[in-house]
Amino acid sequence: MSDNKKYYYLRLKENFFDSDEIIVLESMPDGHMYSNILLKLYLRSLKHEGKLMFNERIPFNATMLANVTRHQVGTIEKAIDIFQSLGLIEVLDNGAIYMLDIQNFIGETSTEADRIRAYRKRIDDEKRGVPINDNSLVYKCNDKSTPEINIEQEKDTKIKQKQSKEKEKEEQKKRERDISTTNAVGGARAKAKNARARENFTASNEPTFDDCCDLYCEKHPLGNIDRSTLERLYKEHGGAKLHEAIFKTISNDEVQSPLAYITGILNDWKAKGLETLEDIRDEEEERQEEMSEWEFGDDMPF
């Protein structure tokens, strides 16, 4: 690759047309024409690091820009006024035009901050009449980071980003598997604990309201309305029956409306006159025995 070979390119970010300046510009009458002119000026200025120059010595004026952009002179003059008001360009007293944002579109490299500072210094120096060596400035910038190096750096960055994303996905999958395993083990332990607790509940050792809420929360969120409903059911039916009804509800994966299901169970027990856990469990055992006596195909008892 030849060291003295020069490449000029403009790279816009995906949100270029979403910037405040471009939105305001394109909302004006003929705004899309002005945004087209702006892009053409950006491209024209690349060869001279953001300064609009016809050659190494002569800057563009409105008439010359009208010719190279294929627009009317009046349109170019109005566009320059608009660009100045939006802070997109700066026109010096000698007529030189600088595209102020051009350094943001050269590419993101480790020398970006240095390049922008050097560019602003160049404008300030020209305002003060300090002689500028264009060739030395271009060489200095390109020596640090040529477009070819930028492209290679961009490729390396993309490869690293892709590898990082793939690694992150694998780690996320592992975390999800670990969480799933933990939840399964925790759920089994919770069910075993609840089963032991149910066996220990007696008339003298009745579940508290908090016991019922804790059991309900193992599978369903407990909002203020849910809590009020459970409190009403606790006062009406007692802790033992409410706890038993909640246990049956959370053990059924097909239940869509847990509070309605719990209420239905309790009302059914009340209608049958089942007052204690012993009555409820005896009734369930009788029903299971009765069901086992029926053969498939015979009339069912319901």
Side-chain angles (χ1 to χ4, degrees), residues 163-187:
Q163 292 173 343
S164 177
K165 288 181 179 179
E166 290 176 350
K167 183 178 179 181
E168 185 177 346
K169 287 181 180 179
E170 289 299 322
E171 291 178 350
Q172 179 63 25
K173 288 180 180 179
K174 184 177 182 301
R175 286 195 296 269
E176 290 175 355
R177 289 195 297 268
D178 292 343
I179 291 172
S180 178
T181 302
T182 302
N183 289 343
V185 173

Side-chain angles (χ1 to χ4, degrees), residues 98 114-128 130-132 137 140:
Y98 277 93
D114 294 335
R115 187 173 63 247
I116 292 175
R117 280 194 294 271
Y119 182 66
R120 293 302 307 177
K121 183 178 183 300
R122 176 181 178 178
I123 297 176
D124 293 338
D125 287 345
E126 186 164 341
K127 285 181 179 178
R128 297 195 303 269
V130 178
I132 297 175
L137 180 62
K140 182 179 180 182

Side-chain angles (χ1 to χ4, degrees), residues 14 50 66 105 125 146-147 175 184 202 235 253 266 271 276 281 286:
E14 72 277 3
F105 308 138
D125 287 345
T146 63
R175 286 195 296 269
T202 62
K235 292 177 180 178
D253 294 331
L266 292 170
T276 65
R281 292 169 183 172
E286 290 176 3

Side-chain angles (χ1 to χ4, degrees), residues 147-243:
E148 293 90 339
I149 294 176
N150 285 346
I151 292 173
E152 292 301 321
Q153 290 176 341
E154 184 179 358
K155 288 181 180 178
D156 291 340
T157 300
K158 287 183 177 179
I159 291 173
K160 290 179 180 179
Q161 288 176 345
K162 183 178 179 181
Q163 292 173 343
S164 177
K165 288 181 179 179
E166 290 176 350
K167 183 178 179 181
E168 185 177 346
K169 287 181 180 179
E170 289 299 322
E171 291 178 350
Q172 179 63 25
K173 288 180 180 179
K174 184 177 182 301
R175 286 195 296 269
E176 290 175 355
R177 289 195 297 268
D178 292 343
I179 291 172
S180 178
T181 302
T182 302
N183 289 343
V185 173
R189 288 175 178 173
K191 288 182 178 180
K193 179 182 177 181
N194 289 328
R196 290 193 298 269
R198 288 173 65 239
E199 294 298 327
N200 293 329
F201 288 142
T202 62
S204 60
N205 182 28
E206 189 169 271
T208 65
F209 178 65
D210 288 337
D211 291 331
C212 295
C213 291
D214 290 342
L215 182 61
Y216 184 88
C217 287
E218 288 185 7
K219 191 169 184 179
H220 304 289
L222 184 63
N224 291 333
I225 296 178
D226 304 275
R227 188 177 181 86
S228 298
T229 302
L230 290 179
E231 188 173 11
R232 176 179 59 80
L233 294 174
Y234 182 85
K235 292 177 180 178
E236 181 178 350
H237 299 277
K241 288 197 288 186
L242 176 59
H243 196 275

Side-chain angles (χ1 to χ4, degrees), residues 91-124:
V91 182
L92 305 188
D93 293 337
N94 62 3
I97 301 175
Y98 277 93
M99 310 301 294
L100 294 183
D101 289 338
I102 191 67
Q103 296 300 320
N104 294 329
F105 308 138
I106 290 179
E108 185 178 351
T109 69
S110 59
T111 62
E112 181 178 8
D114 294 335
R115 187 173 63 247
I116 292 175
R117 280 194 294 271
Y119 182 66
R120 293 302 307 177
K121 183 178 183 300
R122 176 181 178 178
I123 297 176
D124 293 338

Side-chain angles (χ1 to χ4, degrees), residues 27-38:
S27 66
M28 297 178 178
D30 298 322
H32 288 84
M33 178 178 64
Y34 292 134
S35 67
N36 174 267
I37 293 172
L38 180 65

